[in-house]
Amino acid sequence: MKKISITFLYLLLSALTLGQESKETKPDSIVRYFSEIKTATKIGYSLWNRDLYGDIILVNPETRQLFSNNFGADSSFVQYKNSYIGKLPDSVNIANTSLTWNGRTWAMIMLPLSKDYYARINLLAHELFHSAQSALGFVQNNSESTHLDQENGRIYLRLELEALKKAVCSDAQDEQRMHLKDALIFRKYRNSLFPGSAHIENQLELNEGIAEYIGLMISGRDKEKTKKHFIDVIDRFFKNPTYVRSFAYNTTPIYGYIMSLKDPLWNQMISVNTDLTVFFMRELNVELPKDLAATVKAITAEYNGKQIFTEEQLRAEKIKKQIALYRSLFVDQPHMTIKFEKMNVSFDPRNILPITDLGTVYPTIRITDNWGILDVKSGALMAPNWDKITVSRPTKIEGQRIEGEGWVMQLKDQYAIQKDESLNNYKLIKKQ
């Protein structure tokens, strides 16, 4: 019996560590990653007077192979040095996120990790903060800032970020202060154009923005590396199809970094109820002009305004056509609506498309629920209140497996698809 167990463990380890994987996802590399982030979080202990190091899962999204720093009460895990190897069940969605699984809270991060030490630690620390943030009093809230997919929303966010780039790269205090003030002018003007937007933006900044700031600080980049990091990530961000759910990764960390030059522990002064814009303006002694519109007009050229306006006008025309296609696909043509019961979801926040009054189109999304698993590769419409999702009509039904154009659904036995003959649409039902 002992011999069989040893053979089994060897075969399992071989299957999980050999094959097509890169050098950076082999067990010895993973053990090193765990050691790196454990050391880094101890160095960053003073940020919250708490060690953020906790349970981590690193998972290969293609094979679902996972590496963990904790046994996690899962008898299928195999120990390898100071880590564990296993496989993530199909019922668990894969994403960079905080995950409750097997009675524990984990920071889940997708492999492969960056070969760059600072980027690697930044990401790991970001997700570890999410695992700890409830205990720190920060409730997770990811409201969609749909106004940031509209032309003016995007324009004045880009102008704010261009001003922030100049602020963070300025060594002269007066110059930095000027660019920082201009960034906040663009921000407040944008919010004036979209009533209620300041509160919605603030919710994501308190969640993803603070998490990314903590990741940045724990990464340990020096001053010059930090400048380069901000320039690189903002320039990449500008190329994202949408800014609705990803803007806070770029705004809060820069405001926070500039704040840290004044007070390294400023984050201990905020709570889930803090208005970060008001907080930064007060603590950095920034006073805005009374006539925002006139000031915006006067300073726009300083921040690549002409090019930004041109690019966003062209994008707006393209988006109108794309929205028309989605309206046709998910409203006018036959389609299927799936209501949620106990939904869990993973998606790419960089490419979603809000559609006024209908909800938001997610080009790629994976959903698990009581009824089974839905995997979408070419678009689905999420309802505004997240109680249901719409996909194109089914084209193939084989038992509990249903397929459509760019999506597949695996249903549990107690569920089925029903067609409404009068409307030619489909819906998910629970069998009697």
Side-chain angles (χ1 to χ4, degrees):
M1 190 69 184
K2 184 177 180 181
K3 183 177 180 181
I4 293 174
S5 298
I6 293 172
T7 302
F8 170 74
L9 290 175
Y10 172 78
L11 290 173
L12 181 59
L13 280 168
S14 298
L16 293 176
T17 58
L18 299 178
Q20 301 300 314
E21 292 164 8
S22 69
K23 174 182 176 183
E24 294 303 309
T25 59
K26 288 186 176 180
D28 285 339
S29 297
I30 301 299
V31 170
R32 173 167 55 88
Y33 295 159
F34 289 144
S35 177
E36 288 175 345
I37 186 61
K38 187 174 185 179
T39 300
T41 52
K42 286 182 177 178
I43 294 173
Y45 182 94
S46 62
L47 284 168
W48 295 106
N49 293 319
R50 175 191 177 107
D51 188 353
L52 294 180
Y53 187 73
D55 296 334
I56 302 172
I57 290 174
L58 305 179
V59 58
N60 183 325
E62 295 182 1
T63 65
R64 304 189 76 82
Q65 172 191 0
L66 68 81
F67 300 87
S68 172
N69 63 344
N70 191 298
F71 182 67
D74 193 314
S75 59
S76 68
F77 283 14
V78 176
Q79 186 168 2
Y80 180 81
K81 297 183 178 179
N82 293 326
S83 67
Y84 300 87
I85 303 173
K87 190 169 184 178
L88 199 66
D90 288 343
S91 59
V92 179
N93 288 323
I94 297 174
N96 292 336
T97 189
S98 174
L99 166 74
T100 300
W101 179 52
N102 277 354
R104 306 182 72 91
T105 300
W106 308 80
M108 180 197 291
I109 299 97
M110 294 186 291
L111 292 170
L113 297 183
S114 173
K115 293 181 180 180
D116 178 79
Y117 167 84
Y118 301 103
R120 191 162 64 238
I121 295 298
N122 199 140
L123 175 59
L124 288 166
H126 176 116
E127 299 306 339
L128 281 169
F129 172 80
H130 280 315
S131 294
Q133 72 182 79
S134 293
L136 292 169
F138 288 85
V139 180
Q140 294 197 32
N141 194 326
N142 283 324
S143 299
E144 292 177 357
S145 297
T146 56
H147 62 286
L148 295 181
D149 208 59
Q150 296 186 38
E151 186 176 344
N152 278 336
R154 287 175 58 92
I155 285 172
Y156 293 106
L157 174 62
R158 288 181 64 178
L159 287 167
E160 178 187 359
L161 287 168
E162 290 287 0
L164 285 176
K165 283 199 304 185
K166 289 194 174 186
V168 82
C169 290
S170 300
D171 292 320
Q173 194 172 42
D174 288 346
E175 185 178 330
Q176 181 181 84
R177 184 181 179 81
M178 178 191 73
H179 294 307
L180 183 65
K181 180 178 179 178
D182 288 349
L184 287 163
I185 287 172
F186 289 129
R187 168 175 286 227
K188 295 296 285 185
Y189 182 66
R190 176 178 73 247
N191 292 151
S192 73
L193 297 178
F194 301 96
S197 63
H199 174 69
I200 296 172
E201 289 179 14
N202 191 60
Q203 289 182 310
L204 192 64
E205 292 193 304
L206 282 168
N207 187 22
E208 296 297 349
I210 296 298
E212 185 61 13
Y213 168 74
I214 297 301
L216 169 79
M217 299 308 288
I218 289 178
S219 73
R221 294 179 179 90
D222 62 23
K223 186 176 182 180
E224 292 307 313
K225 285 187 173 66
T226 298
K227 289 180 181 181
K228 185 178 186 306
H229 167 71
F230 283 134
I231 298 300
D232 290 345
V233 296
I234 290 176
D235 287 344
R236 285 199 301 270
F237 169 75
F238 285 154
K239 298 176 183 177
N240 287 352
T242 186
Y243 305 152
V244 168
R245 276 183 171 266
S246 53
F247 75 94
Y249 291 81
N250 302 276
T251 52
T252 314
I254 295 186
Y255 288 114
Y257 174 71
I258 293 173
M259 268 294 301
S260 74
L261 301 178
K262 174 185 177 184
D263 179 359
L265 300 180
W266 67 265
N267 54 284
Q268 295 183 16
M269 299 166 60
I270 66 171
S271 72
V272 70
N273 298 314
T274 299
D275 183 321
L276 287 175
T277 303
V278 172
F279 174 82
F280 289 138
M281 287 175 60
R282 182 183 70 240
E283 295 300 317
L284 294 169
N285 298 314
V286 174
E287 293 185 11
L288 301 184
K290 293 182 179 179
D291 193 339
L292 284 176
T295 307
V296 163
K297 187 175 181 180
I299 65 175
T300 293
E302 172 76 14
Y303 302 103
N304 203 24
K306 184 177 180 180
Q307 180 178 340
I308 290 173
F309 273 86
T310 299
E311 290 176 353
E312 292 305 325
Q313 287 168 359
L314 291 173
R315 178 188 179 275
E317 292 302 315
K318 292 180 180 179
I319 291 299
K320 286 180 183 178
K321 296 177 182 178
Q322 193 173 354
I323 288 175
L325 288 174
Y326 280 135
R327 279 185 178 276
S328 174
L329 183 63
F330 299 124
V331 179
D332 301 333
Q333 297 180 36
H335 53 267
M336 181 169 74
T337 299
I338 305 159
K339 291 187 177 181
F340 300 138
E341 295 179 8
K342 191 177 180 180
M343 177 266 285
N344 188 276
V345 60
S346 64
F347 57 89
D348 186 342
R350 298 169 300 178
N351 63 2
I352 62 178
L353 178 61
I355 300 179
T356 304
D357 76 350
L358 290 181
T360 302
V361 173
Y362 288 75
T364 57
I365 191 169
R366 187 179 192 269
I367 296 171
T368 60
D369 204 316
N370 293 339
W371 37 255
I373 301 172
L374 172 66
D375 198 353
V376 177
K377 301 297 184 185
S378 60
L381 177 65
M382 181 71 75
N385 58 358
W386 281 63
D387 65 335
K388 61 187 176 182
I389 194 165
T390 300
V391 293
S392 60
R393 69 177 180 85
T395 57
K396 187 177 182 181
I397 301 177
E398 293 183 345
Q400 297 303 102
R401 180 182 172 87
I402 299 92
E403 296 182 21
E405 189 68 34
W407 62 268
V408 61
M409 190 176 191
Q410 187 64 48
L411 289 180
K412 293 183 179 178
D413 291 339
Q414 60 268 43
Y415 293 86
I417 298 301
Q418 185 180 78
K419 184 177 182 180
D420 183 335
E421 296 295 342
S422 62
L423 298 174
N424 211 23
N425 292 329
Y426 297 77
K427 63 181 179 179
L428 177 68
I429 63 167
K430 195 168 186 177
K431 298 177 182 176
Q432 299 298 320

